[in-house]
Amino acid sequence: MSHAALLAHDLVRTLGTRRVLDGVSLTAAPGHRIGLIGENGTGKSTLLRLLAGTDEPDSGTVVRPADLGFLHQEMPFRPAATITDVLDDALREAREDLAELDRLTHALADLPPDSPGYADLLAAYGERLDRAQEHDAWDADRRAAIVLAGLGLGAMPHDRTLGSLSGGQRGRLALAALLVRRPVALLLDEPTNHLDDAAAAFLEEQLRGLPGVVVAASHDRAFLDAVCTDLVDLDPALDGPTRFGGNYTDYQAHKRAERERWQRRFAEEQEELADLRRSAGVTAHQVAPGRARSDNEKMGFGHTTGRVQNQISRRIRNATRRLDELERDQVRKPPEPLRFRAAALATGSAAGLLASLRDVEVAGRLRLDLLDVSATDRLLVTGANGAGKSTLLAVLAGQLPAAGAVHRRPGLRVGLLAQDTVFERPDRTVRETYELALGPARAEAVPLRSLGLIRPRDIASRVGDLSVGQRRRLALALLVADPPELLLLDEPTNHLSPRLADELEEALGTGPGAVVVASHDRWLRARWPGREVRLSGAGEPG
């Protein structure tokens, strides 16, 4: 259906002083599931907001279906609203369609086919029937139950208020509402961030079954492989944003080949520029250098000199013209990709236990019989949503009181990367934030750009203008610039590009100190080098 396509043309968007999107176009036809990928700050979330209409481009146009759903939006409900309220809103259109079809059916039955108004009623019936079929309205209530169960919310009482839910639970409820609604176009920003394995697999199956448009920004390689029919890479590239038909695994080889082609073309052009500059300045003036003229040449010297001068002038003109063209249109140097280069994630300390937990309980959130963290531990905490992973990290960090025995080594330096990265002064620049948090001496000893987490061009940006992923990078930089003895990472690969996630995972496996990671990341967990503690739904190791 052509009217359901999502079209963007030549979008430009500047945030602060930086042009985040520069002439981006996108065509998303029904049946296509497009993944947006690229380093943090390349504009994935910005593009989604422009497509959704929650932000306006500085220039360019977007044509979107009226029936569009955007996951990143805040749900339009008060904290006192219940899960039932959210579901009723998600089911409202389907119920209205069925009620209107019922009304039109009775109205048509009461009119003879040749009576005035019958044709209009029949047209309205056909239009409403198409809409109901498109949204699978007859199955909406059953679908709601299936979706809630599939996203791990099935056992939750429907009278629970939104204010009583965790951030992850609210995110899954917002996703569930969209899947129940089945909009013609669905925009998702990091949809797997709060999903465990079963919920992620359920989401992938649901998205593959949608007939409309799906555009998703995601760092999750497993998700991109399972769902996407096309990928759009917003990283700087030779010919601008790259669209690739295929999944993420196939794209990796394409990406490497594209960068190599860009680097090769840049090197060849720079070599040609150097040759042309020599030709225009020196070589064009030389004709047979070092060779004496023959007698015949001496006899016709004036005639020969004229030809030689014409030849020199022509060569100079040609070299100068080509030089001007190449200097005007030359390929810019490929930007260096970020490379995570922290010397160590944590600082070594004396052997023995850093932290010890016995019979620990946080009411309704965590219950744990026993946990010891040694000075060199690499501990992965896993478990379903609500099992208490984030709560456990907060208890270890000393940020959340708990019943039971919690012992930390006296003077222990602990650092926590929380899921929600909030800076008190978003008006400060990245550089100011880094220097004030670490102090001048430490900031000078470990320059921010040396860590490979923030691009040089972004160091002068306001923290409030950074993407979620860039803020996560900055928070991580503050931790590893002055490494603690115990580093706690809550979903560390969320909002990070696949390449940085790979580099961070590699760093997690080596070095001094202790690292505890809570993660749903399927790729990270499959390659984890240390031990694992799994929390069950009751908050106990399982």
Side-chain angles (χ1 to χ4, degrees):
M1 295 169 56
S2 60
H3 69 273
L6 179 63
L7 308 171
H9 178 67
D10 206 19
L11 298 180
V12 175
R13 186 70 176 103
T14 300
L15 297 176
T17 60
R18 187 167 71 86
R19 182 166 286 195
V20 179
L21 298 176
D22 189 3
V24 173
S25 298
L26 178 70
T27 299
H32 285 261
R33 299 180 297 277
I34 299 173
L36 303 180
I37 58 177
E39 291 288 355
N40 304 118
T42 53
K44 300 184 295 296
S45 296
T46 300
L47 178 55
L48 285 177
R49 288 194 296 270
L50 297 181
L51 294 176
T54 61
D55 189 16
E56 293 297 324
D58 300 316
S59 63
T61 59
V62 178
V63 178
R64 63 183 66 85
D67 184 19
L68 181 143
F70 183 26
L71 178 61
H72 200 62
Q73 292 172 314
E74 286 293 322
M75 288 190 294
F77 295 95
R78 296 172 292 103
T82 64
I83 293 176
T84 296
D85 295 329
V86 175
L87 290 177
D88 285 343
D89 183 72
L91 292 165
R92 175 176 49 80
E93 293 173 353
R95 290 168 175 169
E96 288 176 353
D97 287 339
L98 295 180
E100 181 63 6
L101 280 174
D102 189 55
R103 186 190 72 78
L104 290 169
T105 298
H106 286 93
L108 286 169
D110 292 340
L111 285 178
D114 56 352
S115 63
Y118 187 88
D120 291 339
L121 278 176
L122 190 61
Y125 180 87
E127 183 177 331
R128 185 68 68 158
L129 181 62
D130 286 342
R131 176 184 167 93
Q133 289 175 333
E134 188 174 68
H135 293 83
D136 197 11
W138 291 271
D139 202 35
D141 283 279
R142 187 178 74 92
R143 184 168 64 247
I146 292 172
V147 167
L148 287 177
L151 294 180
L153 300 171
M156 189 171 290
H158 287 194
D159 59 356
R160 281 279 301 271
T161 64
L162 300 190
S164 71
L165 303 182
S166 68
Q169 289 169 330
R170 288 195 301 272
R172 283 182 285 140
L173 182 59
L175 180 57
L178 286 176
L179 294 178
V180 170
R181 240 188 75 203
R182 288 173 66 93
V184 167
L186 185 56
L187 307 179
L188 306 172
D189 198 352
E190 300 291 358
T192 62
N193 270 0
H194 299 291
L195 305 185
D196 58 21
D197 288 3
F202 175 82
L203 172 64
E204 290 162 0
E205 180 183 11
Q206 290 287 306
L207 295 180
R208 287 194 299 267
L210 292 178
V213 172
V214 177
V215 181
S218 180
H219 69 284
D220 187 334
R221 289 153 290 186
F223 172 84
L224 293 168
D225 253 0
V227 170
C228 294
T229 60
D230 304 82
L231 296 172
V232 173
D233 187 356
L234 294 176
D235 276 344
L238 181 58
D239 301 315
T242 305
R243 181 161 179 165
F244 178 77
N247 64 21
Y248 187 77
T249 298
D250 297 332
Y251 183 70
Q252 288 291 75
H254 172 84
K255 176 71 172 178
R256 287 191 296 270
E258 165 63 22
R259 182 166 182 85
E260 289 169 2
R261 183 171 73 90
W262 187 357
Q263 290 173 323
R264 185 167 57 250
R265 181 171 165 185
F266 174 77
E268 291 170 351
E269 285 195 357
Q270 293 305 303
E271 184 177 348
E272 184 180 358
L273 279 167
D275 289 343
L276 288 169
R277 290 177 182 125
R278 284 194 299 270
S279 296
V282 178
T283 310
H285 292 281
Q286 299 175 346
V287 178
R291 180 173 66 84
R293 292 191 296 273
S294 67
D295 288 340
N296 288 338
E297 286 177 320
K298 292 174 183 176
M299 291 175 63
F301 181 68
H303 181 63
T304 302
T305 299
R307 290 204 315 272
V308 170
Q309 293 303 320
N310 289 337
Q311 182 182 7
I312 291 173
S313 298
R314 186 166 58 253
R315 289 173 64 182
I316 291 174
R317 285 195 303 273
N318 290 342
T320 302
R321 183 167 56 250
R322 172 60 179 156
L323 180 61
D324 289 342
E325 291 173 354
L326 197 54
E327 286 182 333
R328 183 180 64 249
D329 302 327
Q330 65 178 298
V331 171
R332 63 191 177 93
K333 184 178 181 179
E336 282 298 317
L338 290 176
R339 289 284 184 264
F340 183 49
R341 295 186 295 270
L345 296 180
T347 298
S349 58
L353 294 181
L354 298 184
S356 177
L357 279 63
R358 298 289 186 274
D359 299 319
V360 166
E361 182 172 2
V362 177
R365 297 167 63 179
L366 174 70
R367 189 169 71 252
L368 187 64
D369 293 335
L370 169 68
L371 179 67
D372 290 327
V373 181
S374 73
T376 57
D377 239 330
R378 291 295 186 271
L379 176 63
L380 177 66
V381 180
T382 64
N385 287 307
K389 299 185 299 297
S390 297
T391 301
L392 174 58
L393 294 194
V395 169
L396 284 171
Q399 296 182 2
L400 184 65
V406 179
H407 297 290
R408 281 180 293 276
R409 180 180 290 178
L412 179 67
R413 295 177 60 244
V414 183
L416 171 63
L417 179 71
Q419 285 196 48
D420 299 321
T421 305
V422 178
F423 291 93
E424 293 182 359
R425 291 290 301 274
D427 57 312
R428 284 179 176 155
T429 67
V430 172
R431 177 183 288 107
E432 291 168 343
T433 301
Y434 186 77
E435 292 176 349
L436 287 170
L438 293 176
R442 190 65 187 175
E444 183 177 354
V446 186
L448 177 56
R449 65 177 60 201
S450 72
L451 298 173
L453 287 165
I454 302 291
R455 292 187 186 280
R457 73 184 186 199
D458 295 322
I459 290 177
S461 299
R462 293 172 63 254
V463 169
D465 292 333
L466 299 180
S467 70
V468 175
Q470 287 173 308
R471 291 197 296 273
R472 289 275 282 176
R473 286 181 184 238
L474 178 56
L476 180 59
L478 291 171
L479 288 173
V480 300
D482 190 12
E485 296 165 283
L486 174 59
L487 179 62
L488 309 171
L489 303 174
D490 195 354
E491 300 291 353
T493 59
N494 279 4
H495 298 290
L496 297 187
S497 69
R499 181 166 53 206
L500 180 60
D502 274 342
E503 293 167 358
L504 177 59
E505 289 164 14
E506 185 177 349
L508 288 171
T510 59
V515 180
V516 179
V517 174
S519 182
H520 281 131
D521 189 317
R522 291 168 282 179
W523 182 269
L524 182 150
R525 288 188 287 108
R527 301 163 64 193
W528 184 252
R531 65 189 181 104
E532 177 180 348
V533 170
R534 180 170 180 81
L535 302 179
S536 70
E540 298 173 335

